[in-house]
Amino acid sequence: VDTQISTFVQQPDGEERWVFRNSTFVHTHDVRALALAAAQGGYLVSGGVSGQLVVAPLRLAAVASQDVGSVPKRNHVRHLSALSPFLQSASIAQGSRLLLCQRDEQLELWYLQRPKDSLGELVMPEAQHVLKVSLDGAKEGRHIASSAIAPDGLHFAASDDGGTRVFSANIEDLEVRRVRGLPAEVAKTPARVLHFCSTRLLAVAPQGGSKLLLVDVERQAISARFAEHSAPVCLLASQGEWLASADVEGNVHIFSLDSLQHRARVPVGRSSMSRPTALCFDADKQRLIVALSTHTLIIFDIEAQALATDVPSLVPIPRKLVPPHARVCGVVVPPGTRDKLLLWGHSFLAKVDLAKASGDASAEAPKAKRRKSGGGGAGTDASEADGAWATYEGFEHIVSLCGLEESQWGSPLLPPAGAGKKRRSSGAGAKRAMVLTMEVSPGAIERSLPQAFERKKFEGAT
């Protein structure tokens, strides 16, 4: 087993022989899985130890031999992110400045300390590792499938194949206790996605079935069951009185958390080529933003129960802005702003001003902005000189992005040169709203993998 993928071609003769044609080397670590797709002339999908998927046209795999990193663009070889938006994730409890990081078989709790005064200037707070928590299934090698933390940080939840667990946390005493007495419908059911709608209300989307459960973690009781979906729910978002959910078939619904009733169905359409990949409510709680796998944003007016009319309701992401195979993992409306969105994936971060956006997908994408690296710069330049869209370079392996409330975090801070990647601030609009990105460093990913396979090269013997 190594990084080599060999192609054999059947000869059109009477013997039906299979003849070696060529080899490709597009992986850095051992290849463990191969799949063939017949669509559009045939594609070869390969993956392995590194977690990265590589998609290449089958006809090219049969005739080209390339070294890692040297595949020309004309070959249309796609290297997909090794990170999963479901298995590698992080969430934040703004009320207690806690970060919950989901990692394979365990959870990690981090505390973001208060900003410190250094030579008369406030500097970005350090992240302090507080606790590690594992479920019972970790002993059997079960990976955590979903997790969430309450806004006040007093409760968090996690799920694996063995079921769903809720914990209470006391960070001052470094104490975590499992909440007993959850209904069996929740405790014994693996959850595809978990989301805290408030400090006590937890939304649970089971892996099997299409129901959506609302659980009161303080009363250990189910407050509501929503049955509007026809397929398992895979995305959840909430703000104020609203809860939005999307299922694997592409249906999106909105529910009222006050009346615990269904509010509206978002007309995203049902297509085999398009699925929701991210949900977000705007700062005024009157719109829902849906990001589709076809790189289109849908803006829905909740009160009118119709597509928005004060801004473009369908906003295509410029084709040159985000790679066509990249997934929009999240959409964030920074607090204190309106009509401005941040879109992020594992390898990109972009901004759009809905008031200036158009419905033309072929519009020329702006040049990327670079992080400033000296003079106490503010990281990314958020200038709007390029119009509706702006991109930011220097971000990679993003697992979460969150808008920060000034009431909880104070005034915006400018990170010093060389600030660590666990915390960053980015301006968004004239009010310089704050956001926090959580990224996995390339070094951490490299350390988690076995040593890369090294192909020996031998010189001709004399």
Side-chain angles (χ1 to χ4, degrees):
V1 177
D2 56 21
T3 64
Q4 179 180 1
I5 301 176
S6 299
T7 303
F8 294 82
V9 179
Q10 187 178 26
Q11 296 297 313
D13 54 25
E15 298 181 5
E16 297 185 353
R17 295 179 303 166
W18 290 87
V19 179
F20 171 77
R21 183 65 175 270
N22 217 322
S23 297
T24 58
F25 302 90
V26 293
H27 287 272
T28 58
H29 292 74
D30 294 350
V31 178
R32 298 294 177 86
L34 294 172
L36 298 177
Q40 299 180 5
Y43 278 85
L44 173 65
V45 182
S46 57
V49 174
S50 67
Q52 187 177 63
L53 290 178
V54 178
V55 182
L58 186 58
R59 62 184 183 276
L60 297 172
V63 301
S65 178
Q66 303 288 345
D67 292 331
V68 175
S70 64
V71 179
K73 292 183 179 180
R74 60 181 176 84
N75 280 4
H76 302 290
V77 177
R78 307 299 188 191
H79 292 260
L80 308 185
S81 172
L83 298 176
S84 166
F86 302 105
L87 299 182
Q88 287 89 20
S89 64
S91 52
I92 185 170
Q94 299 211 36
S96 57
R97 307 175 73 93
L98 284 177
L99 304 179
L100 178 68
C101 299
Q102 179 179 316
R103 295 186 58 188
D104 297 334
E105 301 166 1
Q106 66 183 17
L107 299 171
E108 292 184 356
L109 282 170
W110 293 75
Y111 175 72
L112 279 180
Q113 301 176 6
R114 298 281 177 179
K116 297 180 180 179
D117 191 335
S118 176
L119 301 178
E121 294 184 0
L122 293 178
V123 298
M124 290 296 290
E126 293 291 334
Q128 178 182 357
H129 187 207
V130 180
L131 289 171
K132 287 185 180 180
V133 179
S134 299
L135 303 186
D136 293 338
K139 301 177 182 178
E140 304 173 8
R142 296 176 179 173
H143 281 211
I144 296 175
S146 57
S147 61
I149 189 168
D152 58 3
L154 297 182
H155 291 90
F156 63 92
S159 181
D160 61 12
D161 289 343
T164 301
R165 306 288 183 264
V166 176
F167 302 88
S168 62
N170 186 337
I171 300 303
E172 293 183 356
D173 296 334
L174 298 179
E175 182 182 41
V176 171
R177 292 186 178 182
R178 178 180 168 183
V179 175
R180 304 286 180 176
L182 284 178
E185 185 177 359
V186 177
K188 296 182 179 180
T189 301
R192 184 181 297 265
V193 58
L194 298 168
H195 177 79
F196 272 95
C197 307
S198 64
T199 57
R200 60 185 296 173
L201 201 59
L202 173 67
V204 179
Q207 287 187 2
S210 57
K211 287 186 178 181
L212 179 60
L213 308 177
L214 289 184
V215 181
D216 189 319
V217 297
E218 294 185 0
R219 296 192 300 112
Q220 294 92 50
I222 297 177
S223 299
R225 295 177 177 86
F226 298 129
E228 279 72 16
H229 285 280
S230 58
V233 173
C234 58
L235 294 173
L236 292 172
S238 67
Q239 189 168 31
E241 63 175 307
W242 304 117
L243 169 67
S245 57
D247 61 38
V248 296
E249 291 185 350
N251 302 299
V252 179
H253 292 275
I254 300 176
F255 304 91
S256 170
L257 296 175
D258 290 342
S259 62
L260 299 181
Q261 298 291 327
H262 181 260
R263 173 67 178 184
R265 177 176 177 176
V266 181
V268 298
R270 299 182 64 177
S271 169
S272 59
M273 301 298 293
S274 177
R275 291 288 187 274
T277 62
L279 304 173
C280 174
F281 288 94
D282 75 352
D284 291 336
K285 310 173 187 177
Q286 302 304 316
R287 298 178 189 155
L288 175 69
I289 297 94
V290 182
L292 301 180
S293 57
T294 52
H295 289 183
T296 299
L297 301 179
I298 294 180
I299 317 301
F300 185 79
D301 189 316
I302 303 174
E303 292 297 334
Q305 299 188 38
L307 295 178
T309 57
D310 54 340
V311 295
S313 58
L314 299 176
V315 182
I317 302 174
R319 296 187 181 97
K320 294 183 179 180
L321 192 71
V322 177
H325 57 280
R327 178 189 180 104
V328 179
C329 298
V331 180
V332 173
V333 180
T337 67
R338 181 176 174 84
D339 296 337
K340 294 181 176 63
L341 309 177
L342 289 174
L343 284 65
W344 66 272
H346 291 139
S347 59
F348 72 89
L349 177 62
K351 182 198 71 171
V352 59
D353 188 338
L354 295 178
K356 299 180 180 180
S358 68
D360 184 7
S362 62
E364 186 68 20
K367 294 182 179 179
K369 303 292 184 182
R370 293 182 178 272
R371 285 178 175 172
K372 295 180 180 178
S373 59
T380 306
D381 181 5
S383 170
E384 298 182 4
D386 288 323
W389 292 91
T391 56
Y392 304 90
E393 288 187 350
F395 289 87
E396 56 182 342
H397 308 312
I398 301 176
V399 295
S400 183
L401 187 146
C402 178
L404 301 182
E405 295 284 352
E406 186 172 345
S407 60
Q408 301 290 341
W409 298 85
S411 301
L413 298 177
L414 304 182
K421 288 191 175 181
K422 283 185 179 294
R423 64 275 179 197
R424 304 186 194 276
S425 63
S426 173
K431 294 185 178 181
R432 300 187 59 78
M434 293 187 296
V435 298
L436 177 76
T437 65
M438 285 158 274
E439 305 170 51
V440 181
S441 68
I445 293 181
E446 188 67 25
R447 289 191 297 271
S448 68
L449 298 175
Q451 184 176 358
F453 181 83
E454 182 179 355
R455 182 167 292 279
K456 302 295 183 181
K457 295 182 180 180
F458 298 95
E459 300 293 339
T462 58

